[in-house]
Amino acid sequence: MHNTICHVNEYDCWLQNRGTNSFDAGLAGILSTIVANEKGEVAANAVKELQRGLSRMFGIDSKITEKSSAACVRMGTVSSLPGIAFPPMKAEGFSIKSANGDFLIAGADASGLLYGVYRFLTELALGNTGPFDIVDAPACPTRMINHWDTLENFTRVARGFKRGMKGDSIFFKDGKIHYDPQRIEDYARLLASVGINLVSPNNVNVRGDAKFFITEKHLPELAKIAAILRPFGIRMMLAVYYCSSMAFGGLDTADPLDARVGDWWKKQTDLVYRHIPDLAGYVVKADSEGEPGPFDYGRTHAEGANMLARALKPHGGDVMWRCFVYDCQQDWRDHSKDRPKACYDIFAPLDGQFDDNVVLQIKNGPLDFQVYEPVTPLFGALKKTRHVLEVQIAQEYTGHQTDVAFLPYFWSTEVMDFDMKTGPNSTIAGMIEDGVIEGFIGVGNICDDNNWTGLTLAQANFYGFGRLGWDPKTRPQAIADDWARLTYGDEKVSAIAAKIQMDSYPALGKVNNPFGVSFMCKPDFHYGPSIEGYEYAKWGTYHRANHEGIGIDRTASGTGYTTQYSPEVDKMFSDPATCPENILLFIHRLRYDHVMNNGKTLLQNIYNNHFEGYEETRGMVDAWKSLEGKINDDYFNTVLERFELHLDNAHEWCDQINTYFRRYTGINDEQGRKIYD
Ligand code: GCU
């Protein structure tokens, strides 16, 4: 029997360069001529990208001409294709049509043309050769990656693997801006191919020399990076230090209402825009986890953000103002404070006080990118303030790019689909479609490893982030399937890889997040179990387990957190029988003998989930092993090596959590499975 091996190059992610095609001669002929008359930087790059993609992905050498009487690919922005009728297109949108033997790719604008090119290449790679009649556009205007890259190397090496939430930066190295221009271009291509149009390269905790990014010391180099991203329709943002006016501005204050501070930022920002004229603006983390902010001067976050916004306004820039603000100096003895309430308490009363170029950047959950959390109640509550949704693509709490965790599953089923019940179309996806939430921001998971993401299968998270930013109603199964087909080509291999992705998130939830109890992970490092690691810490991350029960009552009779939601959501959350089980112990304090909807006690359900979650993880590893000999060995083995660590980690979570609760309760698993003493 003839065994074909599926060859995958980990560097190319979902844009595999197969270099061959099985198109018939007619189709190959059409693809070998591209008619285009584009001059602008992005549109001209779109033409080049089509030529490059057809050559590298399918081995077709096409020529670019200004006209052709033969069947060909005709492409351009709507304004450069006079005489051809197109359906109405939204900004950054495109249409792909088959007409009179030609393929027509039209962009509403230059970015739309570029996205149309990638879509056309994707359709061909998925085996769809037409006829085409596609009209599409991104659901929201802001689709951004926030790199949390530091100038200093970030990686912690454990057991031979780069760990930490991702790995080292592609922009910085050893305290300096340091990058390979080709790599940045390849990165830009990956970003644009899934519709991402903004990148902030530096960490929101702006420390050390990164504070000087908005000075002559670093701007020339940053401008070079911006220039590499620009032809791909990608603009840069910079994370800035709130107290820059003191750090190097020669002032003794950063009080936003002190005119000297505003003036200083205006001048500094003028300088920044001389270097990067299309900078999209600043990302700011203020009054958060030790970072300074307006609270230090008795000012509100609206006053702080507006001051920066006014410096950016003449240049058309926005302030992305992060809402991750809470007291990180809590006393575990004090039950009166509840960290998840902070975001709403601080920002909801300020609705309407922000300038029109301030955009609040709100994490999906009120705690901190945990495996399961409710959706932050600020969504749906803000009526007069621009805002965006922030998720974490980097697997900080979800396995450090060592364990497989398909995050689009979570973003889609738990975040996008969640209905805040604040209006007629108040799911998060609905609010994105309606422009109420105007963007999707992801904390990036890209590093300088050859495969970009450390764990190769984590490429699916990067891909899926783009897909959901483009269309927040895309189903996770479709994302997993398309990612797998584009990556592996081979149908059987793809089906197995997609199934592994789809199985991964529920398995993760079962082993390390018992019904929404968070922060049972190792402090600081955030990989591996440490059940009481955060229990007596200052971070406000408590589960307060004792011999009778676990969790915090966050209903009206407890901390009152659920009252921050609409009455309907409050009601649903407040009854343990209707509260979504994934967040049951986030919202409620329950006894271990509480009987859940399946008729079993909470304790037995915790045991069941842990045994099952471990078995499901083992099933994923076995599924991967079944691909041995079907994928090139180097690719197969790098994934397998991480899977072995993943399985160890799941095992540890399972045993430690089961033992912890058995020790407290003295109650055995009803099925007599092994729980250690
Ligand atoms: C987490 C993370 C920090 C990060 C912070 C944030 O707490 O551990 O490193 O800075 O989120 O969102 O700003």
Side-chain angles (χ1 to χ4, degrees), residues 148 154 165 203-205 207 285 288-289 291 322 324 326 339 363 367-369 390 392 396-397 443 519 524 526 534 539:
W148 282 359
F154 187 72
M165 29 178 128
N203 196 314
V204 289
N205 300 305
R207 311 245 162 94
K285 172 174 176 175
S288 172
E289 300 187 325
E291 295 304 310
R322 296 182 78 237
F324 185 55
Y326 69 97
R339 169 170 162 181
K363 287 194 183 186
L367 209 44
D368 188 7
F369 299 137
E390 176 185 318
Q392 195 178 41
E396 176 175 4
Y397 295 95
V443 176
F519 278 101
D524 303 330
H526 300 168
Y534 273 102
W539 300 99

Side-chain angles (χ1 to χ4, degrees), residues 506-519:
L508 170 76
K510 284 182 183 173
V511 297
N512 92 353
N513 193 254
F515 300 110
V517 178
S518 300
F519 278 101

Side-chain angles (χ1 to χ4, degrees), residues 225-237:
I225 296 176
I228 303 173
L229 300 174
R230 194 170 291 123
F232 290 87
I234 299 165
R235 291 162 77 199
M236 189 186 266
M237 278 213 158

Side-chain angles (χ1 to χ4, degrees), residues 113-266:
L113 183 62
L114 185 68
Y115 298 141
V117 162
Y118 292 124
R119 177 64 170 277
F120 183 62
L121 292 169
T122 299
E123 294 296 331
L124 294 176
L126 289 172
N128 180 10
T129 53
F132 295 110
D133 189 10
I134 302 173
V135 186
D136 206 355
C140 57
T142 302
R143 305 171 305 277
M144 166 152 86
I145 302 281
N146 280 176
H147 286 262
W148 282 359
D149 293 10
T150 50
L151 278 170
E152 296 70 33
N153 300 353
F154 187 72
T155 299
R156 284 166 260 205
V157 175
R159 296 171 68 183
F161 281 104
K162 282 186 178 182
R163 296 267 279 268
M165 29 178 128
K166 52 181 192 74
D168 286 333
S169 175
I170 57 170
F171 301 110
F172 316 126
K173 196 182 166 107
D174 300 332
K176 298 201 167 57
I177 298 177
H178 175 96
Y179 57 93
D180 167 4
Q182 184 58 53
R183 179 125 203 188
I184 304 296
E185 184 191 310
D186 292 340
Y187 179 45
R189 176 172 298 110
L190 289 170
L191 290 166
S193 75
V194 289
I196 294 164
N197 62 1
L198 282 165
V199 164
S200 68
N202 61 321
N203 196 314
V204 289
N205 300 305
V206 188
R207 311 245 162 94
D209 219 31
K211 288 181 183 162
F212 296 87
F213 273 15
I214 54 171
T215 70
E216 292 282 4
K217 181 170 183 196
H218 292 300
L219 281 167
E221 274 308 306
L222 291 168
K224 286 186 200 159
I225 296 176
I228 303 173
L229 300 174
R230 194 170 291 123
F232 290 87
I234 299 165
R235 291 162 77 199
M236 189 186 266
M237 278 213 158
L238 288 173
V240 298
Y241 180 59
Y242 187 75
C243 282
S244 298
S245 58
M246 292 164 79
F248 53 89
L251 297 182
D252 57 0
T253 179
D255 180 350
L257 297 193
D258 185 319
R260 291 172 303 156
V261 176
D263 287 346
W264 181 83
W265 273 103
K266 281 196 183 115

